[in-house]
Amino acid sequence: MRSDFTQVLARVAEQGEPSLTEVVYLLRSEEADELEQLYAKARAIRDEYCGRRMVVRGLVEFSSYCKNSCNYCGLNRFNQGARRYRLSERDIFASADLIYRAGFRTIVLQSGEDAWPADQIAKIICEIKTRYDMAITLSVGERPKSDYKAWKDAGADRYLLRIESSDAALYQSLHQGRELKTRLKALEDLKDLGYQCGSGIMIGPPGQSLEHIAKDILYLIKQDFDMIGIGPFIPHPQTIYAHEKAGSLPITLKALALLRILSRNAWLPATTALGSLDRDYRVDALKAGANVLMPNFSPAEAKKNYEIYPNKRCIDECTEACPCSSGEIARAAGLKLDYSRADSLKPGFLGKID
Ligand code: SAH
């Protein structure tokens, strides 16, 4: 007789469309043998639907200015202690050059919600596209659809915008004066414009229950995102959540495995937050179904000052040191390192398994 856990897992993995109760049940397990079943299933599904590989994307954090008010984030506008910077275009191109020369074929441009004019960002996108054969992913927050369109027209391929929570009340408690529906509208605009879209959540910010996480997982799966980022909440000392507990590592890994099992072929990063707890857990994430690594290519000063949470992985390493460890991380997880663009594997996009 198979245990309840084995039965529920088999049903969910084979037939999909789990109930909220089933997701909560799977997230609740703490038995080592059950967790190993969950991770093994996630790995098998990843290998079948995405290939046995870890793809790399090069990250550039180009501005730490932010007009937003996310309670958890060290860059929120109320943090007077945050060190604000904007990279010059020259610095951005220097990072792009490093990324390209390291062999990567995707650059991720991330920033706070800076008021950087849309046409200037479009110019930078255009220039990177002209100089390099690379996919461009943007992660710069909520903007009017016209800005998203200008950037798409300039050559941007992908966009990352986490929902943070699919529950309107929890969303509001995490973001002063902001509403979930604005975030959802932005994601709808991005999809409508043909971007490959990534979303996601943090695990463990104040007020989040296991039911919230289960609801988020079902929402992210229903939306069929091309990429889903998930990492533990890490309290930042200069925010109102300074004394809150960090998100749970086991729950993060279980949620990641479930996202793999249910999404089949979404790109799932082993996030930097997972690398920034008491030790680096990114290999554990890859062993639980993740398949993307995003080494940081920002200039050393920027890496330090782009402090969304403290003790970010890699800030003490020189720019070139991070990508060098990608090979070791992939090897430790039993995956092949893949430098390709790795477009969305969803129907209608160009990603494929070789
Ligand atoms: N301004 C952009 C990029 C935000 S930073 C945007 O709005 O999308 C990228 C992600 O880091 C956020 O979406 C959030 O989920 C995560 N993050 C922010 N602060 C964090 C913290 N203290 N701990 C863990 N993750 C955090």
Side-chain angles (χ1 to χ4, degrees):
M1 235 308 263
R2 295 201 296 177
S3 76
D4 280 358
F5 185 90
T6 309
Q7 274 177 351
V8 174
L9 177 62
R11 203 215 65 69
V12 165
E14 279 150 33
Q15 295 159 34
E17 303 198 1
S19 65
L20 193 67
T21 318
E22 283 176 319
V23 178
V24 171
Y25 173 79
L26 293 171
L27 281 174
R28 201 160 265 152
S29 167
E30 288 177 351
E31 300 295 324
D33 65 318
E34 294 178 354
L35 297 183
E36 194 31 57
Q37 286 177 44
L38 180 71
Y39 301 148
K41 181 51 95 180
R43 287 194 296 272
I45 290 182
R46 174 200 55 210
D47 295 352
E48 181 182 349
Y49 288 86
C50 311
R52 203 181 166 92
R53 57 180 162 160
M54 179 192 85
V55 307
V56 281
R57 328 280 203 193
L59 178 66
V60 185
E61 300 152 331
F62 67 97
S63 165
S64 68
Y65 282 90
C66 193
K67 61 177 168 56
N68 215 335
S69 54
C70 311
N71 292 341
Y72 43 82
C73 182
L75 298 185
N76 84 73
R77 69 169 189 265
F78 301 115
N79 182 9
Q80 306 280 337
R83 280 182 297 244
R84 309 289 175 177
Y85 70 87
R86 278 189 190 114
L87 292 188
S88 65
E89 290 190 7
R90 234 180 108 161
D91 281 341
I92 297 175
F93 298 140
S95 290
D97 201 61
L98 273 178
I99 292 170
Y100 190 77
R101 282 194 286 124
F104 291 31
R105 292 297 173 264
T106 296
I107 180 171
V108 181
L109 296 171
Q110 191 178 84
S111 72
E113 292 214 351
D114 192 353
W116 199 313
D119 58 339
Q120 278 180 26
I121 294 184
K123 226 184 86 202
I124 292 168
I125 294 168
C126 226
E127 188 65 35
I128 294 176
K129 277 296 201 194
T130 311
R131 291 192 196 182
Y132 309 103
D133 175 21
M134 279 202 287
I136 299 186
T137 304
L138 299 174
S139 174
V140 306
E142 294 164 20
R143 289 274 194 146
K145 190 172 183 181
S146 52
D147 289 5
Y148 292 155
K149 176 156 192 328
W151 300 336
K152 187 80 179 51
D153 291 345
D157 303 276
R158 311 180 188 144
Y159 206 100
L160 305 177
L161 189 73
R162 290 188 178 177
I163 47 164
E164 318 294 1
S165 172
S166 61
D167 181 277
L170 179 60
Y171 185 92
Q172 241 172 348
S173 85
L174 298 173
H175 308 90
Q176 296 171 40
R178 304 188 64 83
E179 282 193 277
L180 175 62
K181 64 175 189 230
T182 320
R183 200 90 179 156
L184 300 185
K185 166 74 169 53
L187 281 164
E188 205 182 291
D189 289 345
L190 290 162
K191 278 195 173 171
D192 190 48
L193 289 163
Y195 278 94
Q196 298 172 41
C197 284
S199 195
I201 56 162
M202 277 175 298
I203 297 294
Q208 187 194 53
S209 65
L210 224 47
E211 282 73 17
H212 283 124
I213 299 172
K215 248 180 83 179
D216 292 341
I217 291 175
L218 293 178
Y219 175 83
L220 292 165
I221 294 304
K222 188 152 163 254
Q223 292 297 310
D224 204 21
F225 286 111
D226 305 291
M227 304 166 276
I228 305 172
I230 175 164
F233 156 70
I234 302 176
H236 189 289
Q238 288 157 338
T239 61
I240 61 169
Y241 291 161
H243 303 294
E244 301 287 347
K245 261 185 29 208
S248 143
L249 170 74
I251 298 178
T252 307
L253 295 178
K254 284 182 268 183
L256 179 61
L258 281 170
L259 285 164
R260 165 58 63 215
I261 290 167
L262 295 168
S263 79
R264 306 292 202 208
N265 60 0
W267 292 112
L268 303 181
T271 51
T272 309
L274 266 166
S276 309
L277 298 167
D278 58 316
R279 70 164 175 84
D280 188 345
Y281 291 98
R282 288 177 298 178
V283 171
D284 304 71
L286 293 163
K287 289 183 177 168
N291 58 358
V292 178
L293 195 75
M294 293 168 64
N296 191 334
F297 284 83
S298 309
E301 264 311 285
K303 268 186 202 168
K304 224 184 298 158
N305 293 336
Y306 193 83
E307 202 188 57
I308 51 184
Y309 47 79
N311 305 317
K312 243 172 57 190
R313 173 72 30 196
C314 287
I315 51 173
D316 297 330
E317 296 168 343
C318 70
T319 300
E320 280 97 335
C322 274
C324 294
S325 57
S326 301
E328 281 165 42
I329 290 178
R331 215 169 309 122
L335 299 172
K336 185 174 152 257
L337 178 56
D338 183 326
Y339 287 104
S340 74
R341 280 171 60 105
D343 280 294
S344 168
L345 296 165
K346 304 285 177 190
F349 292 107
L350 297 172
K352 45 181 186 304
I353 329 179
D354 35 49

